[in-house]
Amino acid sequence: MNNIAIFGYGTVGKGVYELTKNNPLFKVAAIFDKPEKKEELHNLLVTDIDSIILDKSIDTVVECLGGDSLPHEVIIKSLKNKKNVVTSNKETISKHLSEYLRLANENQVSIQFEASVGGGIPLIYPLTIQSDFDEIFEVKGILNGTSNFILTKMSDEKMDKNEAIKLAQEKGFAEKDPTADLEGIDMVRKGCILASLITKKEIHNEDILHFGISNLNASMIAEVASRGKVLKLITDIKVSDKGTSVIVLPVAIDKNSPLAQVKNEYNGVLILGKYQEPLTFIGKGAGKNPTASAIVSDLVRINKKIAYPYPDLKPYYPLTSDLKGKYLLFSKESLKEVNDPTEQELKAAMFIARVE
Ligand SMILES: NC(=O)c1ccc[n+]([C@@H]2O[C@H](COP(=O)([O-])OP(=O)(O)OC[C@H]3O[C@@H](n4cnc5c(N)ncnc54)[C@H](OP(=O)(O)O)[C@@H]3O)[C@@H](O)[C@H]2O)c1
């Protein structure tokens, strides 16, 4: 049995508690959150990090706080004190994966982060295993439910963008300020994690070129539809002898392609390797139960001693940006079709989409 402590009793933390509290594999020994949660959590509530860290009976920490500064402190202290860590936090994993893996290996414990990319989709574990024997040359993912929901409503129901954002907020899919989702920043972090796992090298968020959908309007959607395509915001990772390219960008994809069927708040990922036919993973990318399920699958693997033993990442590895292909460059007044554009040309446009 694992004695676990959950840090953060919000959407995800609550889901983890509900899924583990009656499971004989686990005992929830403590939950860290603010003093206001006392009435709900009674004696399980702990408001001081170090009393959990110094408690030798707790062997595994589940980090569900969000953000980077406090999670970084909690994760570092937990690993140094020989506790396994499971987290759903793409921000802290994408920024510090190299440091976390080094500390986990030094202290002979495990850090697992299945829920940090694709929410409830079992993606990281199979992708990591496959990258140990196959040559993965491309991973294409719709990895943000908010932007996919907005794109689906604009394309399928001709909804105005602001109306779609409002609906996403009402349904709890979009934050009050959805900029990070619309600008592709959330998908940069997820791309960084996946690319680090495929290459086993340290990759930085700052090196990932990204284009979002903040400037998208109905006439651009109509232009894409007139070509028999549908618009998706995609994280595209390409690995070749020339290097690794990671870009987040809107792509006009064929209406019949597998990723075109990924609608609303769902996520979808296509993996292309040398020894596998294209593999498609589709599922809910966020939400209490899907995210908690991915976390608990990591906890079960730790309990059964089958958690993936991630090696240390090799040193910092600069990325390239593969801009080959046909692009639509929208400005206020015009639309240009350009083959193999430069980064500057893309950045100068009001909205861009690669055509596939
Ligand atoms: N929600 C999803 O669907 C989803 C999906 C995939 C990944 N994730 C990731 O999972 C993590 C948690 O997300 P969430 O949606 O569960 O967030 P959340 O609902 O905001 O929960 C976070 C909890 O941690 C508490 N907390 C934060 N800072 C604290 C502090 N300094 N001291 C004490 N308590 C503190 C919060 O308390 P207050 O509310 O009082 O601040 C809240 O109870 C994030 O990294 C997120 O990116 C979430």
Side-chain angles (χ1 to χ4, degrees):
M1 185 200 272
N2 288 104
N3 245 4
I4 66 178
I6 300 170
F7 279 78
Y9 193 67
T11 307
V12 175
K14 261 184 204 150
V16 173
Y17 179 57
E18 284 164 17
L19 261 176
T20 48
K21 66 180 177 188
N22 295 322
N23 188 316
L25 298 179
F26 310 111
K27 177 171 183 271
V28 180
I31 299 178
F32 170 88
D33 206 296
K34 295 188 181 141
E36 295 89 287
K37 300 271 162 69
K38 183 77 188 167
E39 227 170 271
E40 205 176 338
L41 293 172
H42 308 286
N43 291 341
L44 271 182
L45 180 71
V46 175
T47 53
D48 153 41
I49 295 172
D50 290 332
S51 71
I52 296 182
I53 301 295
L54 296 174
D55 183 343
K56 287 204 160 44
S57 74
I58 293 173
D59 56 73
T60 303
V61 156
V62 184
E63 186 280 306
C64 313
L65 291 160
D68 182 38
S69 157
L70 187 61
H72 182 250
E73 180 190 338
V74 167
I75 293 173
I76 292 290
K77 284 183 169 172
S78 301
L79 295 172
K80 284 186 173 168
N81 283 276
K82 302 198 183 299
K83 296 183 194 312
N84 302 302
V85 172
V86 176
T87 178
S88 51
N89 187 330
K90 61 246 165 191
E91 185 177 350
T92 202
I93 288 293
S94 65
K95 287 182 181 162
H96 310 291
L97 183 58
S98 186
E99 182 187 18
Y100 293 156
L101 293 182
R102 184 177 46 75
L103 279 176
N105 291 331
E106 265 171 29
N107 290 286
Q108 298 182 327
V109 286
S110 177
I111 175 157
Q112 300 289 312
F113 41 92
E114 180 63 64
S116 65
V117 185
I121 305 175
L123 171 66
I124 285 185
Y125 190 71
L127 178 68
T128 308
I129 300 266
Q130 199 187 336
S131 69
D132 276 350
F133 66 89
D134 199 354
E135 266 174 56
I136 293 174
F137 40 81
E138 189 163 9
V139 175
K140 283 165 98 159
I142 296 170
L143 295 171
N144 181 269
T146 307
S147 53
N148 200 41
F149 181 85
I150 291 162
L151 285 173
T152 308
K153 293 293 167 203
M154 288 179 77
S155 299
D156 291 7
E157 296 173 31
K158 311 279 172 276
M159 204 179 266
D160 168 72
K161 187 175 72 215
N162 291 331
E163 208 186 322
I165 293 174
K166 201 165 151 252
L167 184 62
Q169 285 165 332
E170 279 166 16
K171 286 182 171 279
F173 302 144
E175 314 227 347
K176 244 193 210 151
D177 176 5
T179 315
D181 292 328
L182 298 183
E183 281 302 301
I185 294 160
D186 175 72
M187 281 180 40
V188 161
R189 292 174 179 149
K190 292 165 177 171
C192 179
I193 296 171
L194 296 184
S196 305
L197 295 177
I198 298 168
T199 60
K200 302 185 174 20
K201 292 172 183 159
E202 181 183 327
I203 283 168
H204 291 176
N205 285 322
E206 298 71 35
D207 291 352
I208 299 177
L209 191 59
H210 61 98
F211 300 91
I213 58 164
S214 294
N215 291 335
L216 177 66
N217 62 35
S219 68
M220 296 163 181
I221 292 268
E223 175 64 40
V224 168
S226 74
R227 295 163 186 258
K229 308 274 182 189
V230 59
L231 203 60
K232 294 287 177 192
L233 188 61
I234 285 184
T235 294
D236 190 21
I237 304 169
K238 285 187 181 135
V239 184
S240 73
D241 300 345
K242 293 184 202 120
T244 300
S245 161
V246 186
I247 313 181
V248 176
L249 79 173
V251 182
I253 56 174
D254 196 90
K255 278 205 163 104
N256 300 315
S257 66
L259 289 183
Q261 319 313 319
V262 180
K263 298 202 174 206
N264 293 314
E265 74 274 26
Y266 279 76
N267 282 197
V269 183
L270 203 67
I271 299 177
L272 296 110
K274 189 170 170 186
Y275 298 101
Q276 269 279 25
E277 291 297 305
L279 284 171
T280 314
F281 295 77
I282 296 176
K284 287 210 171 172
K288 178 176 148 190
N289 290 337
T291 311
S293 299
I295 288 179
V296 178
S297 73
D298 277 339
L299 287 171
V300 170
R301 282 191 282 263
I302 287 174
N303 179 273
K304 305 281 181 198
K305 307 208 180 330
I306 51 166
Y308 190 85
Y310 294 103
D312 287 7
L313 294 179
K314 296 196 187 96
Y316 167 65
Y317 178 67
L319 295 171
T320 59
S321 303
D322 183 348
L323 301 177
K324 287 209 175 62
K326 184 158 104 180
Y327 285 74
L328 302 177
L329 271 54
F330 293 87
S331 68
K332 259 201 172 130
E333 297 82 25
S334 67
L335 163 64
K336 268 199 300 186
E337 275 189 38
V338 179
N339 284 319
D340 307 342
T342 62
E343 193 176 320
Q344 288 66 32
E345 277 179 290
L346 293 175
K347 282 184 170 165
M350 184 179 143
F351 181 80
I352 66 115
R354 190 166 72 203
V355 184
E356 289 188 355

